[in-house]
Amino acid sequence: MAESTQPSVVQQAQDAASKLAATVADTLNFSDSKPADADKSGLPLLYIDEKAGSDSTGTGAELVPFATPLAAYQSLKPSPESDANPSALATFMVRKQDSVERNEWVELSASAKKKLVKTIGGWRKQEAKQAAEGERLAKEKAAQEEKERKRREEAQSIVLVDDPTKEAKRTKIFAVPELVGSRVRVQGWVHRFRPQKTNYFLIVRDGTAMLQCILTGDCIKTLDALDLVTESTVEVVGTIEKVKEGQTAPGGVELIVDYWKIIGRAPGGADAFDGRLQPDTDASIRADLRHLELRGEIATSVMRVRALLLRAFRERFHARRVTEVTPPCMVQTSVEGGSTLFEFDYYGAKAYLTQSSQLYLETALPSLGDVYCIQESFRAEKSLTRRHLSEYTHLEAELVFIEFKDLLDHIEGMICEVVDILLADPVSAEIIKTLNPDFVPPQRPFMRLDYRDAIKYLNEHGILKEDGSDHVIGDDIAEAAERKMTDQIGRPIMLIHFPKALKSFYMKALESAPDFTESVDVLVPGVGEVVGGSMRIADLEELMAGYRREGIPHEPYYWFTDQRKYGTTEHGGYGLGVERFLAWMLKRYTVRECSLYPRWMGRATP
């Protein structure tokens, strides 16, 4: 048998290995300045593939080509003397677009070389332009730095003197309008700052009000003037004058400053206050920076009305001889079921943060008569709606020797009287007018809508349940449907007589319909429920039946049950959400804006 002329399997493997080794060596040995391959004259070969190459990762080797002849030329780091004849430095090999599969390389054509020379010329011009621009910018920067250095040098020589012989009354800003013509000393934060060539206009706030301050002369030439940024704390001294006719300023006055200094310097640059919070800042970042957001005019206004609101409620309670008490926030019984309780360990025993102070308020009725409290309540609802908080300010009251109509009249009266107080106060009235110009005080009597009639209204007006079906008696009307109905009616509603199955164990049944209760929710446009209340069960046996109906052991509630044992009587009460009430009056989209540091599911900082 004749010997085969085909190479053996071993020989084929050896040939393949040799080719692979040569390829690897070709790639590894290639330097930045010239590839391993060279033509007959010794010039380096640079490979260019417009389709498969890359100017950013290419090296010029056959396996790692450039995408353009200019990048290949630039890789040689040529001097300008070579620009007219790039072929003197290397041989440029290009792959024909129609011969990729055949892996054919040809030398750059004469016309392509001319085009390359022209491209090189454009590149050199761009380089020169960039160099000149860089030099210009460097000179400008140096000149600016020198100008700033001289400016600061001059500023160091200017020292303001606080003349001790000139009396200046130390005062808070709110009192300044009454001190026209007087020299005063004020401290505060720079709320706004507008520097001009001859004047600096500062709006300074101290928490009581705002004051326009005008700095001129040496006051704007000091180092403090050069370093001044918003939110720095300053002390300003000068004379209070009325603003000129046709001009405006907070309080109608301004301070003509003759001495001032920075007390606490705020940072500038990237960390400047003005750059931390913008109108489009993400909500989660705003929440992280709540401590800074509180300095803004809207947040400040909301908090100011909140304070006046609480004061107004206290005034009206005092006028009605309702006594304020302070029940505990750590409890071992629940008011409205265990699903929304925050549980914690209390010296080895289970305890909870209170959902409501109602039960404790009831125990104070026999000794103090009508009572109320304003303190925090906690609900562990896994809800992220715009009207829910995990911790909220709960205004609660319990009233004794009343009937259901008395309870409704009391709630209606308190709401209307507090609104009237806020609209009569110049501070809160101005804020309400600014934030909610369309606000109209509610008119008495409120619309009183039976739960069963509300079901009819929802169905007659096409307000469906979340599953698209009509409402039926016994439904717990969802928040969205309830709010839609309220917005359509456009006035506060007292929704009354809810089914017993939807309400808590302590609510009194309606005599004419025992399956319903003497209960009420006050609904307002834009927010929904702001008040929930009811008459409480006064009969001991009825209360015991309520415990059994809800599956609640009565033993832990002995102190509450005893109120029916030792001299029971008709009584009722309610709870009002302060943040929801504020959101209604000030037209805030979410109750989170109405809390100093709001807490909701997933948020307990800062």
Side-chain angles (χ1 to χ4, degrees), residues 148-374:
E148 183 66 18
R149 185 190 67 78
K150 288 181 178 179
R151 192 178 173 203
R152 295 187 71 82
E153 198 174 80
E154 292 171 2
Q156 281 181 322
S157 66
I158 298 174
V159 179
L160 300 179
V161 177
D162 186 9
D163 190 344
T165 65
K166 294 181 180 179
E167 184 181 355
K169 178 180 175 61
R170 186 179 294 275
T171 183
K172 294 285 189 178
I173 293 176
F174 79 92
V176 162
E178 304 302 320
L179 298 172
V180 173
S182 301
R183 192 164 183 268
V184 301
R185 184 183 304 272
V186 170
Q187 294 182 336
W189 288 265
V190 178
H191 188 70
R192 285 194 294 274
F193 170 44
R194 181 161 54 94
Q196 294 182 342
K197 190 172 183 179
T198 58
N199 296 311
Y200 278 13
F201 289 88
L202 274 62
I203 299 295
V204 176
R205 70 172 194 277
D206 68 352
T208 69
M210 294 190 184
L211 175 64
Q212 179 169 284
C213 305
I214 300 177
L215 282 61
T216 60
D218 285 349
C219 285
I220 65 172
K221 298 176 183 177
T222 64
L223 277 177
D224 277 352
L226 296 183
D227 295 336
L228 186 61
V229 293
T230 56
E231 292 308 316
S232 294
T233 42
V234 296
E235 180 176 85
V236 285
V237 182
T239 304
I240 296 295
E241 295 184 359
K242 287 187 176 180
V243 296
K244 295 179 177 62
E245 190 174 346
Q247 297 180 353
T248 59
V253 297
E254 58 192 11
L255 178 64
I256 308 303
V257 177
D258 57 58
Y259 171 80
W260 77 285
K261 65 179 179 179
I262 292 178
I263 300 172
R265 197 182 310 277
D271 205 30
F273 179 87
D274 294 339
R276 300 293 298 277
L277 286 168
Q278 299 293 330
D280 59 349
T281 298
D282 184 82
S284 63
I285 295 176
R286 300 189 79 86
D288 289 338
L289 299 179
R290 179 63 175 169
H291 61 294
L292 299 181
E293 186 174 46
L294 285 170
R295 301 186 183 203
E297 291 181 29
I298 291 178
T300 298
S301 297
V302 172
M303 291 302 108
R304 203 172 297 284
V305 174
R306 179 188 170 100
L308 294 171
L309 170 74
L310 295 178
R311 187 178 76 180
F313 268 112
R314 286 189 165 97
E315 287 177 3
R316 295 318 303 156
F317 278 128
H318 179 72
R320 292 165 181 260
R321 299 187 68 85
V322 184
T323 302
E324 183 171 10
V325 295
T326 52
C329 285
M330 296 187 294
V331 301
Q332 291 188 304
T333 53
S334 67
V335 180
E336 299 182 13
S339 63
T340 61
L341 285 166
F342 283 109
E343 181 182 316
F344 65 95
D345 179 84
Y346 187 71
Y347 302 107
K350 282 185 180 180
Y352 313 95
L353 296 177
T354 185
Q355 303 163 309
S356 167
S357 297
Q358 175 210 318
L359 305 188
Y360 293 98
L361 290 176
E362 287 189 47
T363 68
L365 293 176
S367 57
L368 297 173
D370 298 344
V371 291
Y372 78 96
C373 71
I374 300 176

Side-chain angles (χ1 to χ4, degrees), residues 19 29 59 116 130 178 180 193 198 204 235-236 259 271 384 390 418 423 457 473 495 511 526 559 563 597:
K19 287 183 179 180
N29 290 333
T59 64
L116 174 58
Q130 289 176 350
E178 304 302 320
V180 173
F193 170 44
T198 58
V204 176
E235 180 176 85
V236 285
Y259 171 80
D271 205 30
L384 289 172
S390 298
V418 166
L423 291 177
Y457 180 97
I473 300 295
L495 187 57
E511 286 188 13
W559 49 275
Q563 305 310 308
Y597 283 96

Side-chain angles (χ1 to χ4, degrees), residues 6-57:
Q6 296 294 323
S8 66
V9 174
V10 173
Q11 184 62 46
Q12 289 178 3
Q14 289 176 340
D15 291 346
S18 296
K19 287 183 179 180
L20 178 60
T23 299
V24 172
D26 182 272
T27 303
L28 294 177
N29 290 333
F30 181 78
S31 68
D32 288 339
S33 59
K34 74 173 188 175
D37 293 340
D39 65 9
K40 295 179 181 179
S41 65
L43 293 176
L45 291 174
L46 290 177
Y47 291 89
I48 302 153
D49 189 328
E50 294 181 1
K51 187 174 183 180
S54 170
D55 285 346
S56 58
T57 60

Side-chain angles (χ1 to χ4, degrees), residues 523-574:
L523 314 176
V524 296
V527 176
E529 181 190 349
V530 294
V531 178
S534 75
M535 293 298 290
R536 317 309 192 190
I537 293 174
D539 181 75
L540 177 60
E541 290 306 315
E542 188 180 348
L543 179 62
M544 299 304 289
Y547 287 134
R548 290 191 295 271
R549 183 181 72 249
E550 299 298 330
I552 299 173
H554 66 86
E555 292 83 1
Y557 295 85
Y558 70 93
W559 49 275
F560 177 69
T561 307
D562 275 356
Q563 305 310 308
R564 282 76 180 167
K565 185 176 179 181
Y566 294 95
T568 190
T569 185
E570 293 298 319
H571 64 288
Y574 60 92

Side-chain angles (χ1 to χ4, degrees), residues 62-80:
E62 183 175 356
L63 296 179
V64 197
F66 289 110
T68 64
L70 178 61
Y73 181 69
Q74 290 170 333
S75 72
L76 299 171
K77 299 181 174 56
S79 64

